[in-house]
Structure formats: C-alpha cells, structure tokens
C-alpha cells in the first residue's frame, strides 16, 4: 500500500486500542527529519486556518521533539511545550502522545495523537510503542516503492521560489511555483512541506535543532522534489526544484535498506564504472563485487544494473539528453 493508506490503517488500529481526539502524522526526510506529506485531523480544535502557526510552534518546541525522541512519550508537563502553551491549550487539548519512526537507515515519520479532557496512560504508550517497529519498516518500504518505474516524465520548470514572512505568511512566489505546489499537494495553495522547511530554519536559528532546513519530497509519480529554506532579509525563501541524482540515490539506498558498502557500490555504478573498475575502487575482488551486487538486486527487487540505476536515478527525460548509464 502507499504511505497514506498505510498511515490510515495504523490510525484505525490505534483508535481501537488507544483512542484519541485528533492526530497529525507526517513523513520525514530520513536525513534531515523535516516533515512533509501530512495526514491530519485537527478539526476537533478547529485549527486548520492556523496551520502555519501550528507548524511553526511544533518546530520551535523542544519537548518530545521527534528528532530527539527515542520511541514514544506523552506530554507529562504540558506547560513546557511551546506549542501547547501558545496554541493548543486554548482549544482544550490536554495531552499529546508522540511517536517517532526511526531505524538505522533514517527517520521516516512522526505521529502526534491529541486528547481533549483526558491524558494518555502508560498502557496507552505501551500500545503505541508496540506498533512502532512494524510501522517504521512499513513506512520505509512505502518510500522504496515510490521509486518503481511508471513511465518517462518530462522535466519540470524551476527552481521555483516561495517567499514567506517570519510568521510563515505567503509574501510572493515565482511564476513556476504554483505548478510545483499543485504537484506537491493538489488542490491546496501552499503544501505543508513548504511550511515545514521554513519552520525548521526558525528552529535552527532558535537553537532548538541543528538539522538542515531541507526535505526531499515525493510527488505523485516516481519523481522527487527538494525543498530548502534560507533567509532573505527578514523573510524566508523556500526553493523548490527537482531532486538531484545523488540525493535520489541516497534516498533509494536508505529506503531499500542497503548497507554502507552496498550504497558505495551503487554510487560507483552510477558513475558508469564496470565490475573491474568498481573492484579496484573498493579494494575488493570482482567476485566479492558480484556478491554485493546480488545482495543489492535482492533488496531492491531488480535483476539488472540498468533497471536499478533507472529506479535510483530517475527516468530518462523525453526531451533531454540520453543517459548513457541506462543504455
């Protein structure tokens, strides 16, 4: 199943065993931990109009932050949370159970469950924690599946730029920005991914976190975009462009569970090296390189170098130069 269907199934399971009044469930870039592709129901608090504020406060809150959370925790001291103190308390939210889905390949998502008028118990946290390992591996598998070939794609224009105020209100955008945003989350005007990278920049500036304010975000086809935030005077500029081949390859290797050595091998293949050249660069025998390659094929579910490079690096564009690595 795709990540949205998976997350809905997880929430249904938790609703039966734990119970909650609202939720926010995001995917994250496995390296930067910056969120995108939200699945949320915050109608209980009527917070949708305040989405930029909610995201900004979430990133500026250090309590139970997913970047430092081990597995599952509740908001045992609500007043310590900037998000609760500045916003959620006004809407009757009394407790938040947070979970992070992380393995040795990266951080794949985080989940907040909200309760109104009651608190989460230790047994609730145990029930949530029990599904974390399974959900983590499933989220990673969902991301791996996004690299499956579905046909060639034309190049997108770009990069596009979205200018936000310090409170994350939209100031301006370049002409190509609308097309990118529609591809990210149609028919929404501004997807949460743009707010997330901007909020991460604010968190870095505030000393709350040190991960880069960027995220690789999957589109509806096999393509990926990279969103980055940077200061432009008093405002925040969010750039949106196609993910570079090296970044795609890193994502592919993490999502398919390649080891460090296997990722190195795949990177050398992407440079166009043959088995003998790869063996020399890795200080291995050609036989060992072939063994590593078989393992890579098995994990990625492919049978040839051409197929795995096509998935990892993206399709050859219709109107662009032909990629010699894929011929």
């Amino acid at each position: 199943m795709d990540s949205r269907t998976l997350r809905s199934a997880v929430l249904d399971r938790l609703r039966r065993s734990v119970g909650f009044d609202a939720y926010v469930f995001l995917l994250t870039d496995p390296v930067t931990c910056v969120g995108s592709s939200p699945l949320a129901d915050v109608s209980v608090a009527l917070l949708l109009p305040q989405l930029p504020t909610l995201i900004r406060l979430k990133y500026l809150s250090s309590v139970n932050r997913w970047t430092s959370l081990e597995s599952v925790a509740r908001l045992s001291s609500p007043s310590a949370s900037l998000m609760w103190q500045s916003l959620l308390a006004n809407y009757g939210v009394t407790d938040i159970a947070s979970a992070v889905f992380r393995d040795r390949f990266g951080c794949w998502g985080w989940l907040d469950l909200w309760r109104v008028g009651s608190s989460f118990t230790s047994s609730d946290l145990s029930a949530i924690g029990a599904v974390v390992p399974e959900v983590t591996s499933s989220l990673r598998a969902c991301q791996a599946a996004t690299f499956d070939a579905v046909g060639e794609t034309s190049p997108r224009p770009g990069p596009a730029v979205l200018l936000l105020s310090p409170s994350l209100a939209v100031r301006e955008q370049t002409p190509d920005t609308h097309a990118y945003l529609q591809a990210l989350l149609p028919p929404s005007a501004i997807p949460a991914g743009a707010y997330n990278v901007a909020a991460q920049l604010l968190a870095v500036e505030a000393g709350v976190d040190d991960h880069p304010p960027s995220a690789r975000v999957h589109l509806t086809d096999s393509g990926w975009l990279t969103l980055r935030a940077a200061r432009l005077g008093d405002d925040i500029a969010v750039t949106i462009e196609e993910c570079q081949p090296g970044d795609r390859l890193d994502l592919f290797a993490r999502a398919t569970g390649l080891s460090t050595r296997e990722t190195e091998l795949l990177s050398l293949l992407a440079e166009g090296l043959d088995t003998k050249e790869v063996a020399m660069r890795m200080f291995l025998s050609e036989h060992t390189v072939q063994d590593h390659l078989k393992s890579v094929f098995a994990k990625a579910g492919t049978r040839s170098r051409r197929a795995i490079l096509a998935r990892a690096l993206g399709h050859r564009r219709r109107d662009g130069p032909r990629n010699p690595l894929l011929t």
Side-chain angles (χ1 to χ4, degrees):
M1 61 181 73
D2 61 70
S3 63
R4 196 172 189 85
T5 304
L6 170 69
R7 285 179 285 166
S8 295
V10 171
L11 289 163
D12 287 342
R13 178 174 170 179
L14 290 176
R15 186 177 282 108
R16 292 193 297 270
S17 61
V18 175
F20 47 86
D21 297 300
Y23 61 83
V24 181
F25 199 164
L26 267 72
L27 303 180
T28 54
D29 184 298
V31 176
T32 68
C33 303
V34 177
S36 66
S37 306
L39 185 63
D41 178 8
V42 295
S43 57
V44 65
L46 302 176
L47 279 171
L48 193 57
Q50 298 196 58
L51 178 63
T53 301
L54 178 63
I55 293 174
R56 179 174 59 82
L57 292 173
K58 172 66 177 178
Y59 277 77
L60 289 173
S61 296
S62 58
V63 177
N64 293 343
R65 203 177 196 276
W66 65 101
T67 49
S68 56
L69 189 64
E70 289 297 324
S71 178
V72 181
R74 61 173 289 264
L75 204 58
S76 55
S77 180
S79 60
S81 167
L82 181 63
M83 183 175 66
W84 184 89
Q85 188 181 74
S86 302
L87 186 63
L88 297 187
N90 300 327
Y91 291 90
V93 176
T94 50
D95 202 4
I96 303 172
S98 301
V100 62
F101 305 99
R102 182 190 295 111
D103 60 17
R104 64 191 181 94
F105 302 105
C107 179
W108 302 99
W110 58 262
L111 167 66
D112 277 356
L113 301 177
W114 301 354
R115 274 190 178 171
V116 175
S118 64
S119 299
F120 290 95
T121 65
S122 57
S123 60
D124 291 332
L125 298 184
S126 296
I128 298 169
V131 307
V132 166
E134 178 186 355
V135 174
T136 301
S137 59
S138 297
L139 284 175
R140 183 163 58 81
C142 286
Q143 295 296 62
T146 64
F147 289 88
D148 289 346
V150 293
E152 295 182 341
T153 57
S154 298
R156 289 181 171 82
V161 180
L162 181 69
L163 195 63
L164 303 176
S165 72
S167 63
L168 306 189
V170 179
R171 298 273 203 205
E172 298 180 59
Q173 62 186 48
T174 54
D176 292 334
T177 305
H178 181 71
Y180 269 116
L181 298 180
Q182 290 296 94
L184 276 169
L185 193 64
S188 174
I190 306 296
Y195 291 134
N196 275 253
V197 292
Q200 176 62 21
L201 176 64
L202 296 176
V204 171
E205 292 175 343
V208 176
D209 189 67
D210 60 0
H211 288 83
S214 65
R216 293 164 290 187
V217 181
H218 178 241
L219 294 176
T220 53
D221 55 19
S222 62
W224 284 79
L225 295 180
T226 297
L227 280 67
R228 294 187 179 89
R231 272 292 170 187
L232 190 61
D234 292 332
D235 293 328
I236 301 171
V238 176
T239 58
I240 310 168
E241 58 187 324
E242 283 195 270
C243 194
Q244 295 300 307
D247 287 329
R248 273 188 60 112
L249 190 145
D250 172 73
L251 273 170
F252 178 81
R254 291 174 181 275
T256 53
L258 300 189
S259 68
T260 302
R261 206 65 164 150
E262 290 166 347
T263 301
E264 181 185 0
L265 186 153
L266 185 60
S267 298
L268 293 175
L269 292 180
E271 293 180 21
L273 275 60
D274 59 24
T275 301
K276 183 177 181 180
E277 292 168 325
V278 169
M280 292 178 64
R281 288 276 290 272
M282 295 183 70
F283 302 101
L284 299 172
S285 69
E286 293 183 39
H287 178 74
T288 302
V289 169
Q290 290 291 359
D291 285 343
H292 281 316
L293 194 54
K294 289 177 183 177
S295 177
V296 171
F297 288 162
K299 291 179 179 180
T302 55
R303 297 182 178 181
S304 71
R305 302 183 190 201
R306 182 180 187 278
I308 199 169
L309 288 174
R311 290 183 63 201
L313 300 177
H315 300 106
R316 174 172 54 86
R317 296 177 173 85
R318 286 194 182 97
D319 54 350
R322 201 171 184 189
N323 188 341
L325 298 178
L326 307 184
T327 59

